[in-house]
């Protein structure tokens, strides 16, 4: 009942109703953070824009579709969470927040990103998972400071070769897309720590052993016939993920205890149905 009342009040454009939804926001919070997530907001509380030294702003899980131009007053903002809203396009005013380092845009209705996003020179983490991207947004390749990129659960089939410009990128999360082949550009990105291609349509994996910086590769829930070869010490999550070195280590322990030794076996190829993309996107 509480959420129903809040949702009804959100339609009423009055200060009293706004205060009921978000509480008293008359003064700048001491921790320089405002969190109005899950408040059923349909309009951005403009009074927040008077907090010019604000560092963190969480607007997740509301019903926002636009943002006011006054938002550009928040030039100290470093973290902005707009996930779980109703945005069909990214408000351009977000691209004026030059100090942004983390931007959450997941679970909206986005299908493209504006070129103005490239103005965010300090952006290090970008989440755009669970949107409507069928083409990889080229502007992301201009975000040279990016370290972490989450683009899972969209409708992507390939990645642009220009992605290898992002030499600071350390982790890329691509689960729940429509890749039928392992993205070729990732084979050139030796600086990656984490690659996640879980829940795609990849049938055969190339060797990743030459990616010396790689620490973790997640490839589960693909109709694959092989596991990706990796360098020593790299953790794999998926079918046939047990490494030969892990078996040797286990055998050394078993020698000391007198238990039967573990055998190294070639994986047997089993039939596996392709994942239902309609169910996971």
């Amino acid at each position: 009942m509480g959420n129903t009342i809040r949702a009804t009040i959100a339609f009423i454009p009055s200060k009293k109703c706004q205060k009921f939804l978000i509480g008293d926001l008359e003064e700048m919070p001491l921790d320089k953070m405002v969190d109005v997530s899950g408040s059923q907001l349909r309009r951005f509380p403009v009074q927040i824009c008077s907090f010019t030294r604000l560092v963190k702003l969480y607007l997740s899980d509301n019903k926002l579709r636009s943002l006011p131009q006054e938002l550009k007053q928040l030039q100290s903002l470093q973290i902005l969470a707009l996930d779980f809203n109703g945005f069909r396009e990214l408000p351009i005013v977000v691209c004026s927040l030059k100090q942004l380092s983390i931007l959450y845009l997941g679970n909206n209705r986005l299908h493209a990103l504006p070129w103005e996003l490239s103005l965010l020179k300090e952006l290090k983490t970008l989440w755009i998972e669970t949107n409507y991207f069928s083409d990889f947004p080229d502007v992301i390749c201009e975000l040279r400071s990016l370290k972490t990129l989450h683009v899972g659960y969209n409708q992507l089939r390939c990645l642009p070769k220009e992605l290898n410009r992002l030499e600071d990128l350390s982790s890329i999360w691509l689960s729940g897309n429509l890749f039928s082949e392992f993205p070729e550009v990732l084979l050139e990105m030796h600086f990656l720590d984490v690659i996640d291609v879980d829940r795609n349509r990849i049938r055969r994996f190339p060797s990743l052993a030459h990616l010396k910086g790689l620490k973790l590769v997640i490839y589960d829930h693909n109709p694959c016939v092989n596991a990706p070869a990796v360098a020593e010490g790299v953790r794999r999550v998926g079918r046939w993920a047990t490494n030969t070195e892990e078996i040797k280590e286990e055998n050394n322990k078993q020698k000391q205890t007198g238990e039967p030794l573990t055998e190294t076996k070639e994986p047997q190829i089993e039939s596996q149905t392709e994942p239902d993309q309609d169910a996971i996107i």
Side-chain angles (χ1 to χ4, degrees):
M1 180 64 71
N3 284 338
T4 302
I5 294 174
R6 295 177 71 89
T8 302
I9 291 176
F11 281 100
I12 305 174
S14 74
K15 290 185 177 180
K16 283 188 177 181
C17 292
Q18 191 89 11
K19 187 173 182 179
F20 176 83
L21 294 174
I22 63 175
D24 191 1
L25 280 176
E26 299 298 329
E27 297 182 1
M28 169 76 177
L30 293 176
D31 59 2
K32 299 181 181 180
M33 178 184 76
V34 169
D35 187 351
V36 289
S37 301
S39 298
Q40 300 288 333
L41 294 175
R42 293 181 177 272
R43 292 177 301 280
F44 179 83
V46 180
Q47 64 265 41
I48 292 176
C49 297
S50 65
F51 305 150
T52 56
R53 293 187 295 121
L54 198 67
V55 174
K56 303 176 184 179
L57 177 56
Y58 297 93
L59 297 164
S60 308
D61 194 17
N62 282 292
K63 300 182 183 299
L64 298 173
R65 295 186 179 182
S66 63
L67 296 173
Q69 286 300 308
E70 289 85 349
L71 189 73
K72 64 184 177 183
Q73 298 175 26
L74 304 182
Q75 287 300 313
S76 296
L77 204 63
Q78 297 178 20
I79 300 176
L80 177 60
L82 299 174
D83 48 323
F84 291 94
N85 275 283
F87 293 102
R88 295 180 182 273
E89 57 184 28
L90 178 65
I92 298 297
V93 67
V94 171
C95 304
S96 68
L97 303 173
K98 302 297 179 61
Q99 297 302 314
L100 270 188
S101 61
I102 301 176
L103 179 58
Y104 298 98
L105 298 173
N107 290 272
N108 278 285
R109 301 177 182 180
L110 302 172
H111 58 84
L113 293 175
W115 273 104
E116 288 83 352
L117 189 70
S118 62
L119 299 174
L120 300 181
K121 304 299 185 182
E122 301 299 320
L123 196 64
K124 294 178 173 58
T125 300
L126 177 62
W127 295 65
I128 57 171
E129 78 285 1
T130 317
N131 275 285
Y132 296 150
F133 294 100
S134 56
D135 295 315
F136 186 87
D138 289 337
V139 66
I140 291 177
C141 300
E142 304 300 322
L143 300 172
R144 301 302 178 90
S145 296
L146 205 62
K147 294 182 180 295
T148 302
L149 177 60
H150 290 261
V151 291
Y153 295 95
N154 282 284
Q155 300 170 31
L156 302 178
R157 298 177 184 272
C158 61
L159 297 178
K161 61 181 181 180
E162 290 81 7
L163 190 66
N164 63 11
R165 296 175 184 170
L166 304 184
E167 296 185 356
D168 285 343
L169 193 67
S170 60
S171 63
I172 185 166
W173 306 81
L174 300 165
S175 60
N177 278 285
L178 302 175
F179 294 100
S180 58
E181 296 182 353
F182 187 84
E184 186 174 350
V185 66
L186 299 184
L187 300 176
E188 305 170 9
M189 301 176 71
H190 298 269
F191 34 82
L192 285 173
D193 291 339
V194 178
I195 298 175
D196 176 15
V197 289
D198 184 32
R199 296 183 184 277
N200 277 278
R201 299 177 175 180
I202 302 171
R203 296 195 61 84
R204 185 173 295 278
F205 283 93
S207 173
L208 307 180
H210 65 289
L211 299 180
K212 301 304 181 183
L214 195 61
K215 297 177 181 177
L216 171 65
V217 56
I218 305 171
Y219 63 96
D220 208 8
H221 302 97
N222 280 280
C224 53
V225 298
N226 71 312
V230 293
E232 182 177 351
V234 178
R235 183 186 175 197
R236 298 182 297 181
V237 177
R239 302 178 75 193
W240 314 304
T242 303
N243 293 318
T244 303
E245 292 299 321
E246 292 174 346
I247 293 176
K248 288 181 179 178
E249 183 178 348
E250 182 66 20
N251 281 345
N252 289 333
K253 291 180 181 178
Q254 291 172 346
K255 282 180 181 178
Q256 296 175 5
T257 59
E259 297 177 7
L261 300 183
T262 303
E263 296 182 2
T264 304
K265 295 181 179 179
E266 292 295 323
Q268 295 181 351
I269 299 175
E270 302 173 359
S271 61
Q272 178 178 334
T273 57
E274 296 191 7
D276 183 354
Q277 293 295 321
D278 292 335
I280 64 178
I281 293 177

